[in-house]
Amino acid sequence: MKSLSTALTLLLIALSSIAIMPQYSDSHLAQTSEIIVIGRIVVEEPTCFIQGRNTCTPWRVEVEEFLKGTGGESLVFYTQGGQIPNSSRRLWVEDQPEPIIGERAVIFLEELSGNWFVNGLFQGYRRISEGAVDGIALPDFAEYIIHLAHGVDFAKPRPRPSAEASPMSISSITPTTGLAGDGTITLTISGLGFGLSTGTVEFTYYQWPGYPPNFLHPSWTTIHYWSDTEIRTDIAANASSGPIRVTPAVGTAQVSPMDFTVTFGYKGNRWPAATPVYVTLNYNPSTYPSTGCGPAIQAALNTWSTAGAWWRYTYGSPTSDGDTLFDAGSNGNNSIHFGYFPDSSPPLGICQIYLDGWPVMYIHEMDIRFNLAEPWSAGDPVSANDVESIALHEAGHGLQLMDVYGIADIDKIMYGVSTTGTAKRTLHTTDNAGIIYIYGNDATQIDEPSESGEFAQVSVTQSPSFGHGNIELNLPVGADVRVEIIDITGRSVAEPFEGNLDAGLSRIPYEIPSAKPSGVYFAVVRTGGEFYSKKIVVLK
Ligand SMILES: [Zn+2]
């Protein structure tokens, strides 16, 4: 019990990479894309690494129709993030689309050095749901895009009203506001006609002013309870402010007439506790496009240091860390620099986070890169992308605050889209609430979990060929426990148990659905503020 860290060999090391994006118009995306296809995602290929850029995940798309350009019957395209070869490390890019096998989508692609990438990161990926994109019938959307791709202005079609009205209705969402992602808040959706079988609930992912919301895939939402008049769910990680879409098992999807407001997003990983937490960011001044960048970055770091939380950023010492080290991964040096991204429609900045530890995963390193291909402006007046504003946003990711993309989120520092030429240099009250929630202040200090044998023991026995087995839990005291099986992208594939367990040994059977592919999965056990994960290998 005492030395769990040596008894259990699995170290789940993860990276996440979080970017701030310029906002692209549909016509910009249509005109800068070399190929635009309607297609179905059929196979998830093994992850790959393209030298000189971040780790990538290839996806194969069975082409149904080319809206622009020509090509074969299938295309392999890449999104950033994936598994680093010969390592258990994962790199995840928060802003990337997450294509689902079997899903249809309209995808805007650009070619770079013989590889196809999604244009504008997630902005060039549009899910087709119930024959429509953002509620616009697919033929109408396709006609619109074809016109834009040829440089012809064409009014964006309006969503068609649903042919048959569903008797289902959503009357309230309680609470109406909360933080996304850490599973501490259960949302209750009340109404009529949800049906007795469990359907799906989708949270807003992003929404531009004047456009319908784009929803997160339902696999991001954990449903705890479903009845004809009430649904209870977690607030999905990566949720933004906006309406919620409920789809009954039988019947028509309905969007809530009221918005749910996300205060801030937090997935539960943070830096090890200390009072305060000190993080020193070393900097590479030889990459700075102007001398004002240093003071602007210092000012941004200082804004987080003086937010009233147990948090202190220090603008440290010059370092030579830059392109190579940023791509190669963790080197134990938190650093910040300017450098290039290979995409022609790249992010303005990225914060890479490295997670490590057992049984609780902590951040142990962060690196920030600004995009040197973009025009920058430090100080006043702001004539291009504002260094201080973008530094403030990326340093917020270093705390592990997540992007939000809802219309109600536009004034927040953690809004994931930036408008060129504007400064956003002070924290919104929700950004401030976020840092205090994660790191506490002198009144609400957050303690490091005890290292003195208070942890549960977790082990997994499995039948590797069949994807089922038992998760054994030995709890020092009775506790509320949630057990979930996730795939390597973090998507939940099964939730074998949620409830209270007595002290002592408990055995929880699990089964990975037979439709899921062979590969690596993780059993994730959450109890109190603690987190355990064990690898499961499924062979077929
Ligand atoms: Zn961001």
Side-chain angles (χ1 to χ4, degrees), residues 17-21 94-95 349-351 390 393-394 396-397 401-405 413-417:
S17 180
I18 321 174
I20 188 164
M21 290 295 303
E94 296 295 335
D95 294 337
I350 276 186
C351 178
I390 305 301
H393 176 93
E394 297 303 337
H397 286 317
L401 288 170
M402 312 308 290
D403 280 319
V404 280
Y405 294 106
I413 289 297
M414 297 320 294
Y415 184 61
V417 181

Side-chain angles (χ1 to χ4, degrees), residues 4 7-12 358 457-462 470-472 484-486 510 520-525 531-537:
L4 199 66
L8 299 174
T9 51
L10 173 70
L11 268 180
L12 183 64
W358 177 264
Q457 261 184 328
V458 181
S459 62
V460 174
T461 58
Q462 57 176 318
N470 290 301
I471 294 156
E472 290 181 350
E484 194 180 11
I485 310 289
I486 61 172
Y510 71 87
V520 175
Y521 294 81
F522 296 94
V524 177
V525 177
F531 171 97
Y532 310 83
S533 71
K534 292 286 288 177
K535 186 155 74 174
I536 299 171
V537 179

Side-chain angles (χ1 to χ4, degrees), residues 245-267:
R245 181 161 68 186
V246 175
T247 307
V250 178
T252 309
Q254 296 278 313
V255 172
S256 63
M258 72 293 293
D259 287 351
F260 174 75
T261 306
V262 168
T263 45
F264 57 88
Y266 172 51
K267 278 194 196 163

Side-chain angles (χ1 to χ4, degrees), residues 9-271:
T9 51
L10 173 70
L11 268 180
L12 183 64
I13 305 172
L15 291 94
S16 68
S17 180
I18 321 174
I20 188 164
M21 290 295 303
Q23 183 175 337
Y24 298 112
S25 65
D26 285 348
S27 51
H28 173 90
L29 286 172
Q31 289 179 37
T32 57
S33 299
E34 282 128 297
I35 287 182
I36 306 171
V37 293
I38 299 172
R40 187 179 295 278
I41 290 116
V42 287
V43 178
E44 182 180 352
E45 311 273 346
T47 52
C48 71
F49 187 77
I50 296 178
Q51 197 61 43
R53 55 176 300 130
N54 290 326
T55 312
C56 295
T57 301
W59 305 88
R60 195 160 70 78
V61 176
E62 212 166 66
V63 176
E64 296 174 3
E65 189 180 347
F66 283 90
L67 301 183
K68 182 180 182 181
T70 53
E73 290 172 357
S74 96
L75 285 171
V76 175
F77 71 92
Y78 299 86
T79 54
Q80 288 188 321
Q83 197 95 10
I84 296 174
N86 308 317
S87 154
S88 60
R89 285 180 179 168
R90 266 181 65 204
L91 178 135
W92 188 247
V93 179
E94 296 295 335
D95 294 337
Q96 289 292 301
E98 227 196 332
I100 311 291
I101 307 297
E103 181 177 76
R104 292 172 75 212
V106 178
I107 307 161
F108 298 66
L109 294 164
E110 54 176 334
E111 197 237 336
L112 281 157
S113 319
N115 298 306
W116 293 101
F117 293 88
V118 181
N119 195 353
L121 300 180
F122 68 85
Q123 298 178 52
Y125 184 89
R126 307 291 171 86
R127 292 180 58 207
I128 300 171
S129 175
E130 296 171 5
V133 178
D134 293 343
I136 298 167
L138 183 59
D140 294 349
F141 185 81
E143 186 187 7
Y144 163 65
I145 292 300
I146 289 167
H147 277 87
L148 296 181
H150 289 90
V152 178
D153 276 344
F154 194 79
K156 184 154 186 167
R158 291 176 170 277
R160 290 178 185 173
S162 160
E164 53 179 286
S166 161
M168 190 195 103
S169 66
I170 300 165
S171 57
S172 70
I173 300 171
T174 316
T176 54
T177 185
L179 73 124
D182 82 343
T184 55
I185 298 173
T186 298
L187 203 67
T188 302
I189 303 165
S190 302
L192 291 171
F194 299 146
L196 298 179
S197 304
T198 301
T200 62
V201 174
E202 295 155 283
F203 285 81
T204 296
Y205 179 31
Y206 66 86
Q207 183 173 16
W208 310 141
Y211 287 79
N214 188 296
F215 292 100
L216 275 171
H217 194 270
S219 62
W220 283 86
T221 306
T222 303
I223 295 172
H224 300 293
Y225 176 80
W226 188 290
S227 76
D228 196 46
T229 56
E230 188 175 303
I231 301 164
R232 293 198 291 269
T233 76
D234 281 351
I235 302 166
N238 291 329
S240 301
S241 298
I244 291 169
R245 181 161 68 186
V246 175
T247 307
V250 178
T252 309
Q254 296 278 313
V255 172
S256 63
M258 72 293 293
D259 287 351
F260 174 75
T261 306
V262 168
T263 45
F264 57 88
Y266 172 51
K267 278 194 196 163
N269 300 118
R270 59 179 174 83
W271 293 78

